Amino acid sequence: MSEVRNSEAPVSTVTYNRNEIDKPTENIYEAISVIAKRANQINAEIKKELIEKLEEFATYTDSLEEIFENKEQIEVSKFYEKLPKPHAIAIEEWLNDKIYYRNTEKEG
């Protein structure tokens, strides 16, 4: 998960060179499929970590402490909101050859 936190992926929308995206596979659809699968993995990792962190703040009683815990909960949520989106991280990994993939149809 530290890779996601240290990612240099853009937080806003970026236009990519299609030729750079499909260069490893020579097929834009195959490249997008691999990137999408990696984005789903990243999203699941982020979601799992966020849920674990938020569960630390779970309380089952009403008290004055709850106000402070909610502030901490908000800070954790804000941190995750500022992270680059999973698809941006996946594209960055793809362009930097950090994603391993193979085409089982070509290996026969």
Side-chain angles (χ1 to χ4, degrees), residues 23-42:
K23 187 189 231 176
T25 61
E26 298 179 358
N27 182 322
I28 190 68
Y29 302 106
E30 188 176 342
I32 290 172
S33 177
V34 172
I35 292 167
K37 287 176 184 177
R38 178 62 183 136
N40 286 336
Q41 290 173 341
I42 292 167

Side-chain angles (χ1 to χ4, degrees), residues 48-66:
K48 180 182 175 196
E49 185 176 296
L50 176 60
I51 289 170
E52 288 172 0
K53 289 196 182 283
L54 292 178
E55 283 178 353
E56 294 174 15
F57 301 111
T59 58
Y60 302 102
T61 59
D62 292 329
S63 66
L64 292 175
E65 292 177 11
E66 186 176 337

Side-chain angles (χ1 to χ4, degrees), residues 2-13:
S2 62
E3 292 176 15
V4 171
R5 291 181 182 171
N6 298 329
S7 174
E8 294 180 14
V11 179
S12 60
T13 305

Side-chain angles (χ1 to χ4, degrees), residues 57-92:
F57 301 111
T59 58
Y60 302 102
T61 59
D62 292 329
S63 66
L64 292 175
E65 292 177 11
E66 186 176 337
I67 295 168
F68 298 110
E69 291 173 352
N70 285 341
K71 287 181 182 178
E72 291 173 352
Q73 210 171 358
I74 290 168
E75 290 303 315
V76 168
S77 295
K78 282 183 180 180
F79 170 79
Y80 282 91
E81 286 176 5
K82 291 178 184 176
L83 288 176
K85 301 296 180 219
H87 68 273
I89 297 168
I91 291 170
E92 180 205 15

